């Protein structure tokens, strides 16, 4: 049983990502991987919750955070999840052009999110003297939020590569599962962000 | 599945060293794991002998206190992460796909990646011996002992970074086996027809998936504290040392069950085969395995009874811990009842399996003693704990691994290990083991602490320590006998029967030893538990195929996993020395400016991109080829 790139375009089934054993394995393996990622972020959240009040005479969460910026970041990321859903729907309709378009929009939104995050970190370090070394709170903040940011950055690079492949190879039994799992990944980091927004920022503002 | 055209034109087949560096064949990866695991097991063993030689008499000064700390740290870390884990993966790779009637694992490429990251992580960790000092804060690396304040060499950095890279390999391996067992089973092989070793590999992989990310985070936090000046565990800046203990043991206790479950699986294969009886209570075995894994995640704080979590937490964790004895007991009785009334053959594989049962029970009994929180205040950090975990890990897991190696060696290499030598291995190793560790129970009860470099004479410690060291040397002899056996066997001509023990029950015994690269010419049809035994009882010599003979699709070999892991290795070294003050300005340029680290990451990412962009079409083995090989 094997996956092959060579096919006539009309032959693609509705869910091309699950048409081959390789494709199904990839999707399953990716679900498992996300299970591990959940533990990873779970541990980071637990660490943050344990240390979030230890500001060591540095800035506290309530002093530091600005909700408008993070709310904007949240909105951008949530919308990018929606656009990646549109991309997958386009894929299921075998509409390559729309697929590429929505993926590009997703990447652009991801970049926007990253820009806001980098700006936020820069502000903290440059103007609030709040960096990795300031306190246990600062260490756990940068590690948790930074890990998420690194995931977003990885996702942006990954999806961009997939877009390039779609331009070159089109939609095939090989590219379809890749696009599909990248969308799973994107939703996952979106969900993680929702938790970060609530646990880090909203809770931080409340005290 | 038949295909219109084959890709044999684009196949690159390597030979010699390149073959091993690029292989994606699970059987060869199994052998690689075995070699690497054996290497690290040897290093860890030498460290153990040195520890015991230092403790052979009171006030000994064979090694300094610093070197002693490095020895105990590296012994524990090496044995757990780099010694027994890869040997477990060796057997899983060699056996699981065969037992489920699969041609391959779900992710051959990732399988190879898992091996190479593990190997490079392990090498990085061991480089510490020659690069300014090994880690010295114990395999548990408790803070603040492991912070830069008290551990000022790069030792602990080698620990955090090396284990992260190696742990990544283990995680990848776990995901691969989960997916393989879920999707690649032959027709008719339902979950409740899977051999026990496959079952335990499955559950162990699930535990790996949920336990290893936790330690990864712990190691990241510790390395950030040490290298970036973060404050996770620094009390002065608001950090919490107890947090490290929680993270470590949330991983650490599941890890001990990650280790023992595959051994349970091996014992459950070997005992039925050499009793000529089916495993007693198969479904209760499955159930007990799942229950152990489940409970294994909720008992971590029994390692922290003396930390001061309070009586309520201690009581809850004590009860949860004791509960594990129940499913474990179920297993013990099932093995005994399997032997009951069977025609038992005392092959070396079976000697190790039978020896496992009482030895492991002794470790379980001391475990339940330790689980009693008030009593643990006395036992904790004494040799009693050392005796406990060596009974379960060596008397349990290592006996199991030896059993499995003797049992599956003919399948892996096409040659039977020499039986008399195998029996000598068993007796020297088993007697040496009990000599070494039985007396340690009493040493602990008499008050000897673990991890101390020397002790004063006349505290009733002297004789017991002497006995323990003699035992350790005898265990060393046992290991050397096994190595001798491997050498002797390797010089024999290859080619044993498909079913060399004649009583094989599971699918791996229905195909040649060693199997061809595609394992099964035709995927077999499974008609019950112990599928091959069932066919034999029905008078068939072979499995009934579930498909017609057709071309077989194979994945291509690839050097990329090796390159990706090499990149991580370089990046790790770069990160580790990023805060080092070099006298040489070139060195400080490339390390302090993170150039080495970035180069390493670029190598890894470039390899990942190459993997993503260039499709692997694999190649086909044609029907004619298959028929030819069948006749040869
Ligand atoms: C009935 C089953 C078991 C029980 C009730 C049990 C209980 C315990 C307890 C309470 C401790 C902590 C002792 C202390 O530090 O004061 C302990 C330590 C330990 N156990 Fe077990 N255990 C069991 C099985 C196992 C198994 C199967 C393994 C490994 C294969 C294992 C490996 C270890 C190790 C490595 C340590 C020491 C860790 C360290 O401090 O370095 N145990 N056990
Ligand atoms: Cu434990």
């Amino acid at each position: 049983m094997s996956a092959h790139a060579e096919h006539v375009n009309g032959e693609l089934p509705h869910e091309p990502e699950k048409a081959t054993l390789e494709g199904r394995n990839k999707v399953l393996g990716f679900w498992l991987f996300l299970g591990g990622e959940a533990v990873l972020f779970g541990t980071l959240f637990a660490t943050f919750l344990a240390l979030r009040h230890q500001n060591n005479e540095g800035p506290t969460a309530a002093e530091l955070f600005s909700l408008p910026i993070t709310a904007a970041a949240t909105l951008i990321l949530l919308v990018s999840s929606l656009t990646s859903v549109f991309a997958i729907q386009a894929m299921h309709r075998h509409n390559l052009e729309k697929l590429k378009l929505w993926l590009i929009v997703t990447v652009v939104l991801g970049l926007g999110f990253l820009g806001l995050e980098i700006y936020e970190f820069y502000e903290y370090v440059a103007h609030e003297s709040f960096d990795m070394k300031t306190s246990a709170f600062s260490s756990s903040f940068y590690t948790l939020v930074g890990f998420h940011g690194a995931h977003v950055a990885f996702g942006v690079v990954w999806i961009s590569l997939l877009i390039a492949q779609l331009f070159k190879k089109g939609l095939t039994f090989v590219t379809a599962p890749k696009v599909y799992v990248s969308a799973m990944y994107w939703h996952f980091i979106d969900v993680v962000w929702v938790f970060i927004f609530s646990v880090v920022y909203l809770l931080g503002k409340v005290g | 599945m038949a295909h219109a055209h084959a890709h044999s034109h684009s196949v690159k087949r390597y030979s010699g060293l390149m073959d091993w560096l690029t292989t994606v064949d699970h059987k060869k990866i199994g052998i690689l794991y075995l070699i690497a695991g054996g290497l690290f097991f040897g290093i860890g063993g030498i460290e153990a002998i040195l520890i015991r030689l230092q403790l052979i008499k009171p006030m000994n000064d064979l090694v300094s206190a610093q070197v002693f700390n490095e020895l105990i740290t590296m012994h524990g870390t090496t044995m757990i992460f780099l010694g027994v884990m890869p040997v477990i993966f060796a057997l899983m790779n060699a056996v699981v796909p065969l037992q489920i009637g699969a041609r391959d694992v779900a992710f051959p490429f990732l399988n190879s990646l898992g091996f190479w990251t593990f190997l490079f992580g392990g090498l990085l960790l061991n480089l510490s011996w020659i690069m300014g000092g090994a880690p010295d804060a114990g395999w548990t690396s408790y803070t603040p002992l492991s912070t830069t304040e008290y551990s000022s060499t790069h030792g602990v950095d080698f620990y955090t970074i090396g284990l992260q890279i190696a742990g990544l390999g283990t995680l990848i391996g776990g995901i691969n086996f989960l997916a393989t067992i879920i999707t690649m089973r032959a027709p008719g092989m339902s979950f409740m027809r899977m051999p026990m070793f496959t079952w335990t590999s499955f559950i162990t992989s699930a535990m790996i998936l949920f336990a290893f990310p936790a330690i990864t985070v712990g190691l990241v936090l510790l390395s950030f504290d040490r290298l970036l000046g973060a404050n996770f565990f620094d009390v002065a800046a608001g950090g919490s040392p107890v947090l490290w203990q929680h993270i470590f043991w949330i991983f650490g206790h599941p890890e001990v069950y990650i280790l023992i479950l595959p051994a349970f699986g091996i014992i459950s294969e070997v005992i039925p085969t050499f009793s000529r009886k089916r495993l007693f209570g198969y479904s209760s075995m499955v159930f007990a395995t799942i229950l152990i894994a489940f409970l294994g995640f909720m008992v971590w704080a029994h390692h922290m009874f003396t930390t001061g979590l309070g009586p309520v937490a201690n009581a809850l964790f004590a009860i949860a811990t004791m509960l594990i004895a129940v499913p474990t007991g179920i297993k013990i009785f099932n093995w005994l009842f399997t032997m009951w009334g069977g025609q038992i053959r005392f092959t070396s594989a079976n000697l190790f399996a039978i020896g496992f049962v009482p030895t492991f029970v002794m470790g379980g009994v001391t475990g339940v003693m330790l689980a009693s929180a008030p009593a643990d205040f006395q036992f904790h950090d004494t040799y009693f704990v050392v005796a406990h975990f060596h009974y379960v890990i060596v008397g349990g897991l290592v006996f199991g691994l030896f059993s499995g190696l003797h049992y599956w060696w003919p399948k892996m290499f096409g040659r039977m290990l020499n039986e008399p030598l195998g029996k000598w291995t068993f007796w020297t190793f088993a007697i040496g083991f009990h000599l070494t560790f039985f007396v340690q129970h009493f040493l602990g009860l008499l008050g000897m602490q673990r991890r101390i470099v020397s002790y004063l004479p006349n505290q009733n410690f002297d004789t017991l320590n002497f006995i323990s060291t003699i035992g350790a040397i005898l265990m060393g002899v046992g290991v050397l006998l096994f190595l001798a056996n491997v050498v002797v066997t390797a010089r024999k001509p290859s080619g044993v029967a498909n079913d060399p023990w004649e009583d094989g029950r599971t699918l791996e015994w229905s195909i040649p030893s060693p199997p061809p690269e595609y394992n099964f010419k035709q995927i077999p049809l499974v008609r019950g538990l112990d599928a091959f035994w069932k066919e034999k009882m029905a008078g068939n010599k072979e499995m009934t195929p579930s498909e017609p003979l057709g071309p077989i699709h194979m994945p291509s070999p690839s050097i990329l996993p090796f390159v990706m892991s090499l990149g991580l290795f370089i990046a790790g070294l770069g990160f580790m020395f990023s805060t080092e003050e070099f006298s040489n300005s070139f060195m400080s340029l490339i390390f302090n400016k993170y150039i080495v680290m970035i180069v390493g990451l670029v190598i890894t990412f470039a390899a990942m991109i190459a993997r993503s962009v260039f499709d692997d079409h694999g190649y086909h083995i044609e029907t004619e080829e298959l028929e030819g090989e069948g006749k040869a």
Side-chain angles (χ1 to χ4, degrees):
Chain A
M1 195 160 304
S2 57
H4 281 275
E6 80 267 13
H7 68 278
V8 198
N9 229 327
E11 265 180 22
L12 276 183
H14 170 59
E15 292 187 333
E17 71 275 9
K18 291 180 188 142
T20 61
L21 179 64
E22 275 89 345
R24 287 192 298 277
N25 278 347
K26 196 168 245 166
V27 174
L28 172 71
F30 208 80
W31 272 112
L32 296 169
F33 169 74
L34 289 185
E37 286 268 84
V39 177
L40 187 121
F41 277 104
T43 315
L44 286 170
F45 272 110
T47 303
F48 177 81
L49 283 173
L51 300 177
R52 72 190 186 98
H53 293 301
Q54 308 297 333
N55 59 313
N56 192 27
E57 292 171 7
T60 63
E63 290 161 12
L64 211 52
F65 298 149
S66 130
L67 282 188
I69 290 193
T70 38
T74 309
L75 192 69
I76 291 178
L77 209 58
L78 285 178
V79 172
S80 79
S81 237
L82 186 67
T83 56
S84 90
V85 171
F86 291 158
I88 296 301
Q89 285 179 338
M91 182 173 94
H92 285 165
R93 289 194 309 268
H94 306 160
N95 189 337
L96 183 60
E97 292 315 308
K98 282 273 166 57
L99 168 59
K100 286 187 289 203
L101 178 74
W102 285 122
L103 286 182
I104 292 172
V105 176
T106 307
V107 165
V108 170
L109 289 171
L111 285 173
F113 172 88
L114 277 179
L116 280 183
E117 184 150 278
I118 291 169
Y119 167 74
E120 181 196 355
F121 281 14
Y122 172 78
E123 281 295 308
Y124 293 163
V125 174
H127 301 129
E128 312 273 355
S129 19
F130 182 76
D131 61 27
M132 192 66 143
K133 300 180 182 176
T134 307
S135 59
F137 163 58
S138 77
S139 306
S140 59
F141 168 80
Y142 280 114
T143 307
L144 171 60
V145 182
F147 246 78
H148 175 267
H151 273 75
V152 177
F154 184 88
V156 164
V157 175
W158 181 19
I159 297 178
S160 308
L161 266 174
L162 291 183
I163 296 171
Q165 290 188 39
L166 286 175
F167 271 101
K168 225 179 118 221
K169 302 174 190 163
L171 187 60
T172 69
F173 287 124
V174 179
T175 48
K178 293 185 185 181
V179 173
Y180 189 80
V181 296
S182 75
M184 285 167 63
Y185 176 85
W186 197 257
H187 292 312
F188 175 80
I189 48 183
D190 199 13
V191 171
V192 171
W193 177 260
V194 172
F195 279 98
I196 290 183
F197 183 62
S198 338
V199 170
V200 178
Y201 292 98
L202 289 184
L203 211 60
K205 271 293 180 196
V206 186
Chain B
M1 193 163 284
H3 267 279
H5 49 259
H7 297 277
S8 23
H9 50 272
S10 61
V11 192
K12 260 190 255 147
R13 285 209 199 180
Y14 299 100
S15 60
L17 182 64
M18 261 321 257
D19 178 30
W20 289 100
L21 295 184
T22 58
T23 185
V24 290
D25 178 347
H26 65 93
K27 297 175 291 296
K28 285 188 176 151
I29 292 175
I31 293 173
L32 288 173
Y33 266 118
L34 185 61
I35 296 171
L39 174 80
F40 289 124
F41 189 83
I43 297 175
I46 292 170
E47 286 154 3
I49 301 268
L50 287 174
I51 295 172
R52 279 317 317 167
L53 286 178
Q54 163 65 17
L55 294 173
I56 192 169
K57 60 173 203 251
M59 301 303 288
N60 200 5
D61 57 1
L62 178 71
V63 296
S64 69
Q66 175 61 27
V67 170
F68 186 82
N69 286 349
E70 295 176 15
L71 283 174
I72 57 144
T73 304
M74 285 300 280
H75 165 70
T77 313
T78 306
M79 283 304 197
I80 297 233
F81 292 97
L82 314 175
V84 290
M85 284 298 288
V87 180
I88 291 172
F89 269 113
L91 289 176
M92 279 164 61
N93 266 292
V95 177
V96 168
L98 307 184
Q99 281 197 331
I100 61 174
R103 294 230 165 85
D104 211 329
V105 292
F107 307 113
F109 180 89
L110 284 185
N111 199 15
S112 145
L113 179 63
F115 169 74
W116 291 109
T117 41
F118 146 74
L119 181 68
F120 276 107
L123 290 178
L124 186 67
L125 185 53
N126 275 280
L127 266 187
S128 60
W129 284 114
I130 51 170
M131 289 181 70
D136 56 0
W139 86 281
T140 50
S141 215
Y142 271 19
T143 53
L145 189 59
S146 54
T147 58
T148 37
E149 201 174 343
Y150 300 102
S151 185
S152 52
T153 67
H154 275 296
V156 177
D157 300 326
F158 279 101
Y159 171 96
T160 55
I161 311 255
L163 285 190
Q164 265 173 76
I165 298 177
L168 190 68
T170 308
L171 186 65
I172 293 173
I175 293 179
N176 180 33
F177 277 98
L178 278 173
T180 302
I181 295 171
I182 294 175
T183 63
M184 310 283 281
R185 283 166 291 130
M189 172 72 73
S190 62
F191 270 98
M192 288 311 275
R193 284 180 183 173
M194 288 191 329
M196 255 339 268
F197 180 65
T198 298
W199 254 115
T200 55
S201 301
F202 183 59
I203 302 294
T204 274
S205 304
M207 295 187 77
I208 288 176
L209 179 62
F210 293 116
F212 268 75
I215 191 66
T216 303
V217 170
L219 294 169
V220 167
L221 304 186
L222 184 54
S223 55
F224 280 9
D225 264 17
R226 292 180 53 94
L227 297 169
L228 303 181
N231 308 307
F232 291 102
F233 309 118
D234 179 3
V235 185
S240 160
V242 178
L243 181 66
W244 167 264
Q245 298 187 19
H246 279 296
I247 296 179
F248 186 87
W249 288 118
I250 283 175
F251 149 79
H253 187 84
E255 165 70 7
V256 306
Y257 280 96
I258 288 168
L259 298 177
I260 200 64
L261 287 183
F264 287 173
I266 295 167
I267 305 301
S268 306
E269 302 289 331
V270 172
I271 286 185
T273 300
F274 294 115
S275 307
R276 293 185 60 109
K277 268 181 71 191
R278 68 175 276 183
L279 182 68
F280 186 91
Y282 170 83
S283 30
S284 69
M285 281 299 212
V286 172
F287 173 72
T289 309
I290 297 173
L291 197 60
I292 289 176
F294 181 71
L295 289 173
F297 275 97
M298 5 207 134
V299 297
W300 78 89
H302 65 215
H303 296 274
M304 299 165 62
F305 283 147
T306 58
T307 304
L309 301 178
V312 176
N314 276 5
L316 287 175
F317 278 101
I319 292 168
T321 304
M322 290 176 190
L323 275 181
I324 295 198
V326 177
T328 314
I330 293 177
K331 284 184 171 276
I332 301 286
F333 283 106
N334 281 342
W335 290 318
L336 295 180
F337 291 142
T338 305
M339 285 189 268
W340 186 279
Q343 301 165 25
I344 302 181
R345 281 161 66 194
F346 292 95
T347 57
S348 9
N350 203 23
L351 280 178
F352 274 107
I354 295 174
F356 167 98
V357 176
T359 320
F360 184 77
V361 167
M362 289 175 69
V365 168
T366 50
V368 177
M369 291 168 73
L370 291 165
S372 163
D376 186 60
F377 275 72
Q378 295 300 313
F379 304 140
H380 185 62
D381 266 348
T382 70
Y383 262 84
F384 192 81
V385 177
V386 178
H388 158 68
F389 66 71
H390 283 93
Y391 264 81
V392 278
I393 295 184
V394 183
L397 172 62
V398 177
F399 274 37
L401 290 177
F402 270 126
S403 174
L405 285 173
H406 283 87
Y407 181 57
W408 281 305
W409 201 271
K411 188 50 66 185
M412 291 176 75
F413 297 101
R415 299 170 174 90
M416 301 283 269
L417 284 172
N418 178 299
E419 271 296 311
L421 259 177
K423 287 177 183 153
W424 274 96
T425 308
F426 170 74
W427 287 111
T428 42
F429 193 79
I431 295 173
F433 165 77
H434 283 286
L435 274 183
T436 312
F437 294 109
F438 189 68
V439 294
Q440 292 187 0
H441 292 111
F442 301 103
L443 277 172
L445 294 176
L446 288 170
M448 180 163 162
Q449 293 145 320
R450 66 190 282 202
R451 295 176 174 166
I452 48 164
V453 58
S454 66
Y455 49 92
L456 291 172
N458 304 322
Q459 308 179 77
N460 296 325
F461 293 173
D462 309 6
T463 322
L464 296 178
N465 269 303
F466 183 74
I467 296 175
S468 186
T469 301
I470 299 302
I473 293 169
L474 199 57
M475 283 169 82
V477 173
V479 173
L480 290 180
L481 284 175
F482 179 73
L483 283 183
N485 199 348
V486 170
V487 174
V488 170
T489 306
R491 304 177 65 172
K492 284 197 291 206
S494 164
V496 294
N498 290 4
D499 182 12
W501 303 112
E502 288 161 7
D503 293 325
R505 310 179 72 82
T506 39
L507 287 180
E508 73 269 33
W509 305 112
S510 69
I511 54 173
S513 321
E517 55 179 328
Y518 47 82
N519 299 349
F520 295 87
K521 213 188 295 179
Q522 288 161 290
I523 300 289
L525 181 69
V526 174
R527 297 200 261 207
L529 183 62
D530 290 342
F532 186 43
W533 183 259
K534 212 172 164 70
E535 299 292 331
K536 285 198 280 190
M537 289 300 106
N540 303 333
K541 290 215 168 61
E542 287 178 0
M543 297 299 298
T544 317
S546 68
E547 57 172 13
L549 200 57
I552 295 172
H553 180 252
M554 305 292 294
S556 337
S558 169
I559 192 72
L560 291 178
F562 180 87
V563 177
M564 289 179 195
S565 313
L566 183 68
L568 284 180
F569 174 86
I570 295 171
L573 269 181
F575 184 47
M576 201 154 39
F577 286 95
S578 58
T579 52
E580 180 84 356
E581 282 167 26
F582 294 94
S583 49
N584 176 325
S585 64
F586 174 70
M587 291 289 273
S588 50
L589 173 74
I590 60 171
F591 277 98
N592 299 145
K593 298 265 180 267
Y594 293 102
I595 293 178
V596 177
M597 179 173 131
I598 291 168
V599 167
L601 289 179
V602 166
I603 295 178
T604 302
F605 280 112
M608 285 169 75
I609 291 173
R611 168 69 184 171
S612 171
V613 173
F614 301 109
D615 294 340
D616 167 21
H617 296 294
Y619 61 95
H620 282 92
I621 301 178
E622 296 304 327
T623 322
E624 308 83 66
E625 247 178 286
L626 291 171
E627 281 165 347
E629 285 187 36
K631 280 181 209 116

